[in-house]
Amino acid sequence: MCLYCDDLFVSVSASSQNIQIQVFPQPVIYQENDLVIQCSITNPSQFSSLYYIQLHRNSSTGFKSAVSIFKGHSPQIQWPSGSTLQNRASTVGSQINTPSSANLKLTIDKNSVMCPTDFVEYRCMMSGFNSVTSDAVTQETTPVTVSYTGIK
């Protein structure tokens, strides 16, 4: 049972030049909807390749990596050491092979969403090689707060 399941709202998306974060659905209905958070590249033509995309989650100690996808690593999906999120979430559909298809998609099944733990701020970060300036680029989104509507 969620102690804080009053009606709230979902901040839908935020972006920073070449990366955006989106939360689906709008709003998240606690215990009825999966929670989906996706990081994607908005201007893929600006990049010849990407190194990584990370999803960060805010906690009492600040933003920490929740999950990452790295090009050229095996496995590509990396969870922080000691993460319990990987036991309740999936990254199906995530890829980083080309800038035009690169995304990191975290899905927490409706039966595994933890309230209020999962209803916090998230942000995306990416790093890649700019095809125009030949520079390495690292960018992050403005944080979005994942909120919900409770079951009444």
Side-chain angles (χ1 to χ4, degrees):
M1 183 71 187
C2 180
L3 300 176
Y4 305 100
C5 290
D6 297 327
D7 287 345
L8 298 173
F9 66 95
V10 173
S11 296
V12 178
S13 66
S15 65
S16 173
Q17 294 183 15
N18 297 300
I19 188 165
Q20 71 176 353
I21 184 169
Q22 296 173 292
V23 178
F24 305 102
Q26 312 167 42
V28 175
I29 302 173
Y30 181 66
Q31 296 181 328
E32 286 189 13
N33 298 129
D34 295 345
L35 171 56
V36 180
I37 304 168
Q38 182 168 300
C39 304
S40 57
I41 306 303
T42 57
N43 295 311
S45 63
Q46 296 292 310
F47 295 93
S48 56
S49 67
L50 297 176
Y51 303 129
Y52 66 79
I53 301 174
Q54 294 181 321
L55 177 64
H56 292 184
R57 169 182 180 141
N58 202 2
S59 68
S60 59
T61 58
F63 280 95
K64 305 280 187 204
S65 175
V67 64
S68 306
I69 186 168
F70 289 91
K71 186 169 186 170
H73 285 235
S74 183
Q76 287 188 317
I77 299 293
Q78 301 283 319
W79 300 90
S81 178
S83 170
T84 58
L85 185 58
Q86 74 187 78
N87 298 324
R88 338 183 259 112
S90 80
T91 55
V92 173
S94 300
Q95 56 185 326
I96 196 165
N97 296 328
T98 65
S100 61
S101 63
N103 75 88
L104 177 58
K105 182 178 179 182
L106 179 78
T107 303
I108 305 174
D109 181 88
K110 65 184 178 185
N111 297 317
S112 297
V113 172
M114 294 175 59
C115 180
T117 305
D118 295 326
F119 298 104
V120 295
E121 286 184 313
Y122 293 83
R123 72 179 181 203
C124 295
M125 180 179 283
M126 58 79 62
S127 182
F129 190 74
N130 187 295
S131 59
V132 176
T133 64
S134 299
D135 293 330
V137 176
T138 301
Q139 295 179 349
E140 65 184 44
T141 63
T142 303
V144 294
T145 301
V146 177
S147 300
Y148 52 86
T149 297
I151 298 173
K152 299 208 178 204

